Amino acid sequence: KLKFVPYSNDRAVVSLNNESEVVTKLTIENAAGDVVYYNDGSINEKVYSKVFDFKNLSDGEYKITVSNKYGKNSMFFTVENSAIVENATE
């Protein structure tokens, strides 16, 4: 289960709740498919949470993707004038 919760105008909490402790990868890409974030190591906790600062991202739509051996889940968010302007949707 993937959640995106705005924390302030330019920050959001991304959290992941796995059914079991499996190796999971997290990436954030812009609309062109360029990776702007890739987790340094593989996530292997049942619960993962991180605050992301998006103030340096260019305006546009972004996609957060988590994947593991059970499948893939993606959510989208938009940045405008260095601020998150809409909540993520699946």
Side-chain angles (χ1 to χ4, degrees), residues 47-67:
V47 178
Y48 167 87
S49 181
K50 180 176 172 105
V51 175
F52 285 90
D53 183 346
F54 296 121
K55 70 180 173 196
N56 293 322
L57 292 182
S58 301
D59 289 356
E61 187 173 82
Y62 292 83
K63 178 171 74 169
I64 302 169
T65 302
V66 293
S67 60

Side-chain angles (χ1 to χ4, degrees), residues 1 7 9-10 15-17 22-23 34 37-38 41 54 58 62 65 67 74 86 90:
K1 191 172 185 178
Y7 181 71
N9 283 343
D10 57 3
S15 63
L16 173 64
N17 190 356
V22 296
V23 175
D34 299 323
Y37 176 82
Y38 180 80
F54 296 121
S58 301
Y62 292 83
T65 302
S67 60
S74 296
E86 61 184 50
E90 290 186 47

Side-chain angles (χ1 to χ4, degrees), residues 7-28:
Y7 181 71
S8 65
N9 283 343
D10 57 3
R11 294 176 190 219
V13 175
V14 175
S15 63
L16 173 64
N17 190 356
N18 283 319
E19 294 292 322
S20 60
E21 293 182 24
V22 296
V23 175
T24 302
K25 296 184 180 187
L26 183 144
T27 59
I28 300 175

